[in-house]
Every structure is written in C-alpha cells, then in structure tokens.
Amino acid sequence: MSGVSEIKCPHCGEWTTGHGRHDDKCGACGGYLEPHRFSHEAEVKVKRENPRKADYFAIKPTDGPLSREVKGFLNAFGWIVFYSEIAFYACVTGVILILGVIAG
C-alpha cells in the first residue's frame, strides 16, 4: 500500500494526501493522520531498542560469573514465588466456588 490517497485528518477534519506510512502528517494542522498506528509503531520501536530486563535484579555486563549466577537464581526464584502465589489464589478461589455451589 504505497500509493497516494486522500484521507480525512482526525484532528482538524481537512482532507489531505496520505502515503500509507505510519508517520504521515496533515498538511493543514500537522497532526498525525493515523495516531493509533503511529503510537503502535513508536511502542514497537521502543521495545526493539530496549528489550525487557530482569525485573528483580538486572544482570549487568560488568558483573562477574558468581554475581551473574546469584542474580539469575534470585530472578528465577522471584518468578517462581510470584506464579506460586497466583496458583494458590486460584486454588482457594476454586475451593470457595465449589463449596458455594455445593452449599446452594
């Protein structure tokens, strides 16, 4: 979709030419013609430039081998505790639901 087409600006309502790119701007007001598409592309770019780091202890390139192992273990242990809590709450909710259905 690389052709030129006219599109109505969502900001000012004027018709302007669009090229089908996510960063097309209105000729009248300067606003983005497809703001939802532009924001999605911006989010994808940020995620590509900054991949998700470990949430508990960030492993830095300057860390030694022992420090990397300890931080990796603590990160894994933190996620295990997190998902164990979720499983526990789901089981308790299930038991309460079953008892409620049985009790009528």
Side-chain angles (χ1 to χ4, degrees), residues 46-91:
V46 167
K47 286 181 182 177
R48 223 182 359 242
E49 291 173 357
N50 301 322
R52 185 175 170 196
K53 306 271 192 267
D55 290 337
Y56 297 107
F57 297 102
I59 299 174
K60 301 173 189 164
T62 57
D63 288 341
L66 179 64
S67 179
R68 285 178 187 258
E69 289 296 321
V70 169
K71 286 182 178 181
F73 173 76
L74 291 175
N75 286 336
F77 184 73
W79 283 112
I80 290 170
V81 169
F82 174 74
Y83 286 118
S84 298
E85 288 176 5
I86 290 175
F88 173 75
Y89 293 133
C91 290

Side-chain angles (χ1 to χ4, degrees), residues 23-40:
D23 59 349
D24 284 342
K25 289 189 174 185
C26 175
C29 70
Y32 288 104
L33 294 177
E34 298 180 80
H36 61 280
R37 211 172 132 202
F38 176 76
S39 62
H40 173 72

Side-chain angles (χ1 to χ4, degrees), residues 1-5 7 17-25 32-35 37-38 41:
M1 184 176 163
S2 62
V4 177
S5 62
I7 186 168
T17 57
H19 300 284
R21 296 188 313 252
H22 69 277
D23 59 349
D24 284 342
K25 289 189 174 185
Y32 288 104
L33 294 177
E34 298 180 80
R37 211 172 132 202
F38 176 76
E41 292 294 329

